[in-house]
């Protein structure tokens, strides 16, 4: 079994220097690894960081591509804002909430006040047993945190009030996400139980997906979506959507590859292989399933298929065999097509970009798949199921509660007139494509 | 002369563990290099891998930008599908076909059956003399393989049947590309002769280009293209095309930089310089040539000019001087303009995106340029020419044969009505730009 | 205090080999660092190089997104051409001009003739005290140089003659930028005075911004822009603009992270944190300021806000605390909104993309901010101010002079008819969006 860094029990080297920060490069004492190895590990983690950053552009382009031109400015605005809010709140509270040195129920609360002063007081020390600096740890995790909030953005698109969304996301990413994350990655009770989620099929994708579900249930469908049968509302730019999927796939090399938490050659390269093949298998799974059920090669299904494969492999990318990664991806790809159709035409829940099917459904699938395919005998299906249920219930209830409170005092939905004219004109006072002749009457 | 890793004679460390895969991190015995150096090399190769991945987005955007809006979904679909198919087939058959441990004519055949079981049985071992893991080797090469098939996609755009294209590409990338690749990179007969192709001017670009030529000859030109003189059919989005070229250039840092097969500081940085300057010189060459011949600064020519420079330098990026790299790029940039005009107006071969000029013509130029400019006295123009002819004849004949057989039993071309209405509506049942007013009548 | 590589006093290892270049891998003698550390440092610098390359795509998409569809081809052409010209001129003259081994006023002149022969004669040696190869040094700096010229491109958009722009940029990037750069990064008089500019708030962004100001003053505003009050001319694609900003942010990880000039774990990760949080704070600063002043959440302001934060942190990213980086970003984000409004409605200077506010105003702010927030007691506000004034006066005068001379013999502005019809049709003979119905009459 491989000895590797994990996210618990990490010791923070703190050196009080008043409010002033000055970098110390001489204290390069490192237990276990050489200075060279430390530098390689750290460099890889920073590469992984900028790859996860790319995912935010991926979400922005995917979500705007799959919705209508009249709401494009709104979606782009949300994605830029939520990334920035996510990064800053994570600096102020999230980081300490999620990775308390000694986790225990309730013990994370006092960290809050401490966390606020953090960025100015902490020194760029190294963890005693770590492979990267304190700053690398923070910035990599901050990029992760921001993705969780972005998942909600797609599902609630084209009808949510901007400020209500920003308020909800701020609370969710600042408090709920890190609190839930601490159960596993902070060394909490689910970690102690043996629950496994390598890079966040549940901790990031499902936690985002459950929040998305709560919000769309409260919001209701877009105007004109379910008059009688479900009406398809096609997205306005398939090139944008495709760019989004490619960039998300690219970012996943950092999302999963960086979750190794070092540049370990075997593990990182192995994770690259399982991640890539699961995504490719997701495409193939969605392609065949959509040809079967829809009788045509549907591009948006195939795009969601690759994301489905990626979400599906995220929980077990380092612990299932290559063959299993292909099977997990194929099933995820098929599942996402069935799920999109079922949620839309049977449940009549309006999810413009398929975020529920990709992140929630395939996040659950990926987490359970660890219990089925893992090569590590310590992983069990029952523990994975308990994790899924625990995360699902708490994140759904939390999101439902927060969003309900926001609804009660400031509302969550734009007026019908604004929705019909488009959020760009009415909320932002500008068009996404000035000069272009576009039909936005419906 | 530099001692460096090469793609032949690599020993695979296999450890049978039944069907179960478990990673061993302790067996870090490495001949020649330290664990730290091994980790740096491997990390760089993984970075190169995700850069080559970016090229697939580059192709998708370039090809869709240079064609009409009514066929955009089709092109995007092809690019997503062929990447996925390429990766999976390379896992199942291609990898073992291309890099047999002891290459000999005919000996690659038995690898086929063996290859199928590969992903599940192999362990993430290290090559005895290598600079990266088995998994890194596979995933880097798999990304390469998929580019070859994508080159065909642009040339046959706007008129090929989706399923015929996918079938052709699958066969070509699974069998023809790795078989031809083994001649050089697998340590085959051309490698023994002294033929040199650093990163694939011939092995990737020309092999893709010859297949593109065979396919377009069988397909014929687009409807209305050659009624009398050649009619220009402008692409629908120059921003998309420009994005594509920049992303391809970006990816080339991995394509060429990764072909060093280690993080060797001098060699990788030198390859960055020759690659970049050849691309820049390609732009300048195309700019002057198009001003001279077309009397205007033509953006699509300049874009193809940078790709021409990149394809041109690919064969000799590590073995020609910096000054030579600029000359090779300038000539490639001029050549691509002349070639695009000649192929279109004289040969009347319809290549919507200029793929033949970029990948085939400049691939040949780059391969021969090694014979002219190489600083290695072992490289000769005659050997390079033999390589070009050998690859050209076999890849063209193979592609022509495969595509002809496909044509005979399922057809290769959409109906005239489908072509006029656009492949998006008729093959995929959706529009790329829903809501936009677009003229697609011609 | 950290001992680190700096851009002065670097010794170039030259080995004459006639015109032939051959790479020597055996001379791995390195003072101070192991071969492994050298390789990591070099690999990180190459990663930073391709990230800075991405910024050029960021500029191309941002600038075209914020202008009208009828001038898109022109903008894309300029960005591709100026990148290529910048890289090649930097190889021929710029690199030696900027980093003379022993800097002294006047001594850089003889380097010119020498520089021309450089690429062919130099060997890929290592600096005696350096962390990367000669080639890495060149290619990283060359990517930097090219960004400076691109900054001008956005401000002069939609009315400048293509050839006049290309001529101006060539002269500016080949001579003015490296000459000015040598004052600080070449170890010149401002470096000796203690002036500090970590990654180029002044040396790149302001130097580009001053040139932009000089050019727009000579050019005058776009047709119809100031008939009475300032008329808003909205950009044609907010998705393109947003893609541009994300890509610029991505590239800044290399722009700032690479300016550490090694893979130093603490310093690079710290720079990642300050850079990211300043960008996020810039978004928040611009969001609140634009809601306050414009009564709406303005996407283009928020996009410029993130760039403002990035430009603002660039001068002191390694030397201010994390808390300071957030404050610098917040102020930059507010500043850019006020500046855009002031320059447009009060000064009536027409800057289509807000380049003056982002690069010039926030470049000055960032440089002065070092004097306020730096944790290094050697940095002083007065010295920073002297640097700002020295760079401002010389770069403005140089740009004004060069552009005036160009105006006198070939003109700098397209005709009114060309401007109204769009530069794409009249200068390039092609449309950016063939087939789309676009209103370009105004």
């Amino acid at each position: 079994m491989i000895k590797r860094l994990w996210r618990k029990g990490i010791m923070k080297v703190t050196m009080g220097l008043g409010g002033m920060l000055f970098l110390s490069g001489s204290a390069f004492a490192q237990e276990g690894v050489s200075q060279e190895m430390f530098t390689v590990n750290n460099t890889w983690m920073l590469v992984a960081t900028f790859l996860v950053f790319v995912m935010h552009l991926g979400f922005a382009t995917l979500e705007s591509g799959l919705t209508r031109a009249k709401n494009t400015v709104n979606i782009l605005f949300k994605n830029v804002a939520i990334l920035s809010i996510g990064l800053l709140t994570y600096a102020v509270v999230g980081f300490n909430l999620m990775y308390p040195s000694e986790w225990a129920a309730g013990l994370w609360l006092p960290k809050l006040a401490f966390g606020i002063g953090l960025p100015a007081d902490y020194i760029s020390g190294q963890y005693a047993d770590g492979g990267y600096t304190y700053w690398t740890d923070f910035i990599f995790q901050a990029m992760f945190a921001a993705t969780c909030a972005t998942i909600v953005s797609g599902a609630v698109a084209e009808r949510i009030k901007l400020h209500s969304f920003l308020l909800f996301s701020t609370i969710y990413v600042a408090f709920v996400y890190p609190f839930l994350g601490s159960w596993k990655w902070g060394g909490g009770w689910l970690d102690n139980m043996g629950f496994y989620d390598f890079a966040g099929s549940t901790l990031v994708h499902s936690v985002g997906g459950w929040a998305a579900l709560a919000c769309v249930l409260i919001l209701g469908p877009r105007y004109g979506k379910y008059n009688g049968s479900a009406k398809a509302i096609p997205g306005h730019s398939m090139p944008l959507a495709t760019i989004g999927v490619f960039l998300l796939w690219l970012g996943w090399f950092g999302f999963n590859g960086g979750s190794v938490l070092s540049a370990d050659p075997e593990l990182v390269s192995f994770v690259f292989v399982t991640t890539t093949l699961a995504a490719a298998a997701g495409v193939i799974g969605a392609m065949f399933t959509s040809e079967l059920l829809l009788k045509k090669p549907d591009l948006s299904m195939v795009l969601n298929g690759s994301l489905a494969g990626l979400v599906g492999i995220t929980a077990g990318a380092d612990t299932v065999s290559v063959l299993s990664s292909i099977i997990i991806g194929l099933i995820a790809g098929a599942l996402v097509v069935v799920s999109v159709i079922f949620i839309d035409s049977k449940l009549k829940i309006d999810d413009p970009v398929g975020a529920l099917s990709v992140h929630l459904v395939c996040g659950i699938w990926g987490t359970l798949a660890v219990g089925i395919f893992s090569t590590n005998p310590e992983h069990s299906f029952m523990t994975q199921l308990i994790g899924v249920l625990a995360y699902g219930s708490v994140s759904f209830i939390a999101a439902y509660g927060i969003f309900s409170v926001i609804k009660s005092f400031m509302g969550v939905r734009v007026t019908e007139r604004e929705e019909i004219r488009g959020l760009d004109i009415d909320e932002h006072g500008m068009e996404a494509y000035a000069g272009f002749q576009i039909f936005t009457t419906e």
Side-chain angles (χ1 to χ4, degrees), chain A residues 118-153:
Chain A
L118 171 91
D121 296 315
Y122 263 63
I123 197 70
S124 160
Q126 301 172 26
Y127 299 132
D129 64 345
Y132 41 85
T133 70
Y134 175 77
W135 300 115
T136 301
D137 193 14
F138 162 71
I139 196 71
F140 181 68
Q141 303 299 341
M143 290 292 174
F144 253 69
T147 59
C148 181
T150 304
I151 289 166
V152 180
S153 160

Side-chain angles (χ1 to χ4, degrees), chain A residues 188-274:
Chain A
W189 69 276
L190 272 168
D191 192 48
N192 294 332
M193 265 187 74
F195 174 73
Y196 195 69
D197 187 0
F198 172 61
S201 284
T202 283
L203 270 76
V204 178
H205 294 281
S206 288
V207 164
W210 286 111
L213 179 62
C215 292
V216 296
L217 288 178
I218 292 171
L219 266 181
R222 286 168 291 174
Y223 175 82
K225 173 72 185 161
Y226 298 113
N227 296 335
S229 66
K231 181 174 154 264
I233 301 178
H236 84 280
S237 174
M238 296 315 291
L240 265 186
T242 306
I243 288 172
V245 164
F246 270 99
L247 293 180
L248 283 164
W249 188 335
L250 172 64
W252 236 287
F253 289 118
F255 198 88
N256 284 3
S259 290
V260 170
L261 302 179
S262 79
D264 183 295
E266 306 207 341
L267 214 39
V268 179
S269 63
F270 183 73
V271 165
F272 262 56
V273 172
T274 53

Side-chain angles (χ1 to χ4, degrees), chain A residues 29-384:
Chain A
Q30 188 68 18
E31 288 178 42
V33 300
S34 65
Q35 186 173 332
E36 282 81 0
M37 192 58 97
F38 181 75
T39 307
V40 191
N41 285 336
N42 190 74
T43 300
W44 166 242
M45 292 306 293
L46 291 175
V47 170
T49 299
F50 74 65
L51 288 174
V52 178
F53 172 81
V54 170
M55 295 176 77
H56 293 280
L57 176 56
F59 277 116
T61 46
L62 174 66
E63 292 173 15
S64 55
L66 291 181
T67 50
R68 285 166 293 182
K70 64 183 176 183
N71 298 314
T72 301
V73 168
N74 181 258
I75 288 169
L76 298 171
F77 192 97
K78 285 194 302 186
N79 277 279
V80 174
I82 208 59
L83 167 63
S84 302
I85 291 170
L87 290 165
L88 290 171
T89 57
Y90 204 74
V92 177
V93 292
F95 189 45
N96 264 270
L97 221 57
M98 192 151 173
Y99 301 109
S101 300
E102 297 174 307
W103 195 92
L107 230 170
W108 55 269
L109 213 65
K111 300 278 170 184
L112 226 145
F114 181 62
I116 295 170
L118 171 91
D121 296 315
Y122 263 63
I123 197 70
S124 160
Q126 301 172 26
Y127 299 132
D129 64 345
Y132 41 85
T133 70
Y134 175 77
W135 300 115
T136 301
D137 193 14
F138 162 71
I139 196 71
F140 181 68
Q141 303 299 341
M143 290 292 174
F144 253 69
T147 59
C148 181
T150 304
I151 289 166
V152 180
S153 160
V156 300
E158 307 204 282
R159 59 209 191 278
I160 198 169
K161 268 190 177 173
L162 179 70
H163 292 107
S164 306
F165 171 78
L166 293 180
L167 181 59
F168 172 81
S169 302
T170 304
I171 297 168
Y172 201 73
V173 79
F175 300 100
V176 180
Y177 168 79
F179 169 65
L180 291 174
S182 73
W183 288 0
K184 165 64 190 164
W185 291 342
W189 69 276
L190 272 168
D191 192 48
N192 294 332
M193 265 187 74
F195 174 73
Y196 195 69
D197 187 0
F198 172 61
S201 284
T202 283
L203 270 76
V204 178
H205 294 281
S206 288
V207 164
W210 286 111
L213 179 62
C215 292
V216 296
L217 288 178
I218 292 171
L219 266 181
R222 286 168 291 174
Y223 175 82
K225 173 72 185 161
Y226 298 113
N227 296 335
S229 66
K231 181 174 154 264
I233 301 178
H236 84 280
S237 174
M238 296 315 291
L240 265 186
T242 306
I243 288 172
V245 164
F246 270 99
L247 293 180
L248 283 164
W249 188 335
L250 172 64
W252 236 287
F253 289 118
F255 198 88
N256 284 3
S259 290
V260 170
L261 302 179
S262 79
D264 183 295
E266 306 207 341
L267 214 39
V268 179
S269 63
F270 183 73
V271 165
F272 262 56
V273 172
T274 53
T275 301
T276 307
L277 294 182
V283 166
I284 303 302
M287 191 159 74
F288 279 99
T289 313
S290 71
E291 293 247 16
L292 202 72
L293 299 181
L294 305 171
K295 313 294 176 207
K296 58 167 187 168
D298 186 304
L299 177 59
S300 57
M301 289 298 185
V302 159
L303 294 177
N304 274 333
S306 79
L307 300 181
L310 289 163
V311 171
I313 196 63
T314 293
D318 68 333
T319 192
V320 301
S321 78
V322 172
L323 193 60
S324 300
S325 75
I326 295 174
I327 296 167
I328 290 170
L330 278 172
I331 293 173
L335 196 59
V336 82
V337 176
V338 174
S339 174
V340 163
I341 296 170
F342 184 76
I343 288 176
D344 188 39
S345 60
K346 297 295 174 196
L347 300 183
K348 295 197 192 297
I349 293 174
D350 185 15
D351 174 10
V353 305
L356 297 177
S357 300
V358 168
H359 299 284
L360 178 51
V361 173
C362 291
I364 293 172
W365 160 239
T367 309
L368 297 178
V370 171
I372 303 169
F373 295 102
S374 174
T375 57
N376 184 340
E378 290 176 27
H379 299 153
S380 88
F381 188 84
M382 278 311 297
T383 316
Q384 297 301 105

